[in-house]
Amino acid sequence: METFSNVFQCGAREMLPSNQIHPMAGHWRDSYFHNNNPIVLELGCGRGEYTVGLAKRYPEKNFIGIDIKGARMWAGAKEAELSGLKNVAFLRTNIEIISSFFAKDEVDEIWITFCDPQMKKATKRLTSTYFMQRYQQIVRPEGLIHLKTDSPFLYTYTCEMLRLNAYPVLCNTVDLYADETDSLVDAKALQTHYEKQWLDRGLSIKYLQWQLTPKSQWEEPTIEIEHDSYRSYGRNYSSSSL
């Protein structure tokens, strides 16, 4: 990973009290991308296929894939390098400390694609109020957040979080590929490795898009939500198996 010029690595243990803000914070456009284009993050980017796919589809935007697992991220970094993409970077770090890597209002959009629903602990969910507070520190006012998920649990939880905190919801569908709404074209344009697996198993993809309006306080959902059960099945599972 250290051989790639498009990869930045810094774990939580390296962010010492005396160095809470990374040198790239506030300087992604001038020091790396060398343009003033919008910056879009993909959180939990895994193999980086969505980050790279978005960069190819939208050359007028800059994309940064973020994940802690370098072995998977390597594939995306390599593809971006071989493709000569100048609007792609990868940041290997803990998402919990994301506000240390970007200045206020430096980010325009965030994509959250097929993250672990973290059904046992709310503060680990990437759509929780815990993370909304962190995103607000770096995303411009009214910036966009996108969620694509196969998880009914995470979808239900996120809908409740958005309702409680009065975030403006721009798109909401429980079956992305069956929904013919024109505004969903971009959300359908790319599919991740895991997304294809869920679709092959007959599972529907949920999609939400909302604006991150500035807030001073948040209300965390407390409703009981039925846990996903299908994740315990093997790859041969499909919805018709039940």
Side-chain angles (χ1 to χ4, degrees):
M1 290 290 283
E2 293 179 356
T3 65
F4 292 120
S5 61
N6 60 5
V7 173
F8 298 81
Q9 301 188 90
C10 186
R13 293 181 180 178
E14 298 168 273
M15 298 302 290
L16 303 176
S18 60
N19 184 31
Q20 285 296 317
I21 303 301
H22 192 271
M24 286 301 294
H27 299 287
W28 288 96
R29 289 185 179 89
D30 60 76
S31 295
Y32 179 77
F33 292 114
H34 305 296
N35 61 51
N36 290 317
N37 294 339
I39 291 178
V40 183
L41 310 182
E42 185 197 0
L43 305 185
C45 69
R47 296 153 59 97
E49 58 207 306
Y50 214 83
T51 299
V52 172
L54 286 171
K56 290 179 178 179
R57 185 173 175 82
Y58 303 103
E60 73 281 5
K61 296 182 179 181
N62 301 316
F63 295 88
I64 303 175
I66 303 176
D67 207 311
I68 192 59
K69 297 181 179 179
R72 293 190 302 182
M73 184 185 289
W74 183 92
K78 184 66 174 179
E79 182 180 350
E81 183 182 72
L82 292 176
S83 299
L85 295 174
K86 302 300 183 182
N87 63 329
V88 178
F90 289 93
L91 173 60
R92 184 185 179 188
T93 193
N94 306 81
I95 298 175
E96 289 83 354
I97 60 171
I98 191 173
S99 57
S100 295
F101 296 89
F102 301 92
K104 181 176 174 56
D105 301 343
E106 188 172 15
V107 175
D108 293 87
E109 295 182 48
I110 289 178
W111 280 83
I112 303 170
T113 54
F114 301 93
C115 62
D116 188 324
Q118 299 289 351
M119 292 180 282
K120 294 183 178 180
K121 192 171 183 180
T123 55
K124 289 186 173 293
R125 296 172 202 152
L126 294 185
T127 60
S128 67
T129 56
Y130 175 86
F131 279 101
M132 291 302 112
Q133 296 175 54
R134 282 153 179 75
Y135 303 157
Q136 183 171 301
Q137 296 177 50
I138 62 174
V139 177
R140 65 172 177 79
E142 316 302 330
L144 298 180
I145 309 291
H146 308 260
L147 170 69
K148 289 180 78 173
T149 182
D150 58 285
S151 168
F153 176 91
L154 184 61
Y155 170 79
T156 302
Y157 166 84
T158 305
C159 284
E160 179 66 4
M161 186 280 296
L162 295 174
R163 185 190 69 80
L164 287 175
N165 295 282
Y167 282 117
V169 178
L170 306 182
C171 294
N172 182 355
T173 180
V174 295
D175 195 342
L176 177 61
Y177 295 99
D179 194 323
E180 297 182 357
T181 305
D182 291 342
S183 59
L184 298 175
V185 172
D186 286 345
K188 296 178 182 180
L190 300 171
Q191 293 181 3
T192 68
H193 171 75
Y194 291 107
E195 182 173 4
K196 291 175 182 176
Q197 285 190 345
W198 302 137
L199 289 170
D200 288 343
R201 289 163 60 173
L203 302 171
S204 64
I205 304 302
K206 291 84 174 149
Y207 172 72
L208 285 164
Q209 180 192 114
W210 66 94
Q211 286 181 311
L212 196 66
T213 51
K215 301 186 181 303
S216 59
Q217 58 184 14
W218 291 260
E219 184 176 353
E220 179 65 23
T222 58
I223 62 170
E224 291 293 327
I225 305 174
E226 182 179 356
H227 283 202
D228 300 335
S229 60
Y230 63 87
R231 286 178 179 268
S232 62
Y233 288 84
R235 288 189 177 185
N236 293 328
Y237 164 76
S238 69
S239 57
S240 61
S241 301
L242 297 180

